[in-house]
Amino acid sequence: MQKIIIKTGRTYPALAAQLGDFENWIERELGAAPGEWRVVDVQRGEALPAVADCAGAVLTGSPAMVSDYEEWSVSTAAWLREAVAGNVPLLGICYGHQLLADALGGQVGYHPQGPEAGVVDIRLLPEAGQDPLLAGLPAAFPAAVIHWQSVTALPPGAVRLAANDFEANHAFRIGSAWGVQFHPEFDTAAMAAYLHHLAPALQAAGKSAEVLHQSLRPTPHAAGLLQRFARLLAHQAA
């Protein structure tokens, strides 16, 4: 049985050269051994394994937009529907979170207040107290965010798990699949680099990258979500 990282995009070349790409950051926070997780680059046309051969999957973020319905994204959504029906544990991050929601009947679109960026506080909702992945986390914790689109409506049957004043759907679960709008894999260096790179776009949207940079701080509880997911898979395999 394979554990896979579904690569839906890539970071900026200069940042990748310096810090690695999304899958490297995810593997770091999973505490993964070399080769433990197989990376499948769906954006570049790599084929996903049969759902029956998959023990679990993490979906990366992406600069792409779910609402563009690119061919690779639509085909990945079909695989996700099959995986959810087969109770394969999934964790979607940012774009992955939005793609999961859209694939299962939710709605995704541009946030009316523009982008959310930097490090923000995430609040757990009461339902998270019994959640297999989020239970035991602090009631509020900091997390890195950078997104223009959001899940505007959850899929039928989804459980809303986390929010903040900007974003109503920061985390949800449906079956054995979770989506998180925030980035558990981003460390402070990655978030700072994103704010620097996107400063003109953020400025155009009325956000000051300099002010957002002042809010940067460590996000250990958000990062720990990936190790929690790894332990969940290990427990299931035992």
Side-chain angles (χ1 to χ4, degrees), residues 13-176:
L15 181 54
Q18 185 179 19
L19 297 176
D21 210 340
F22 297 139
E23 67 271 23
N24 307 120
W25 308 345
I26 288 169
E27 287 173 333
R28 178 194 67 219
E29 299 303 341
L30 284 166
E36 183 180 354
W37 289 74
R38 176 189 164 203
V39 178
V40 181
D41 192 342
V42 292
Q43 193 185 44
R44 291 193 172 166
E46 291 186 9
L48 288 160
V51 165
D53 295 332
C54 187
V58 177
L59 290 93
T60 73
S62 177
M65 298 295 170
V66 168
S67 63
D68 289 341
Y69 294 108
E70 297 182 62
E71 184 177 346
W72 62 267
S73 187
V74 172
S75 61
T76 302
W79 188 92
L80 292 175
R81 286 190 289 273
E82 186 181 348
V84 170
N87 291 313
V88 175
L90 306 172
L91 177 60
I93 297 170
C94 196
Y95 185 95
H97 154 87
Q98 296 166 13
L99 182 60
L100 185 63
D102 185 80
L104 299 174
Q107 296 177 14
V108 173
Y110 286 94
H111 197 290
Q113 296 178 46
E116 185 182 36
V119 172
V120 300
D121 288 324
I122 308 294
R123 295 192 309 272
L124 293 184
L125 301 174
E127 292 77 8
Q130 303 300 318
D131 184 74
L133 187 62
L134 273 64
L137 283 172
F141 57 90
V145 294
I146 179 69
H147 63 106
W148 267 256
Q149 292 199 326
S150 299
V151 174
T152 57
L154 290 174
V159 179
R160 195 163 68 102
L161 298 172
N164 64 10
D165 292 342
F166 185 91
E167 182 61 55
N169 298 311
H170 253 298
F172 73 92
R173 183 189 76 250
I174 186 162
S176 60

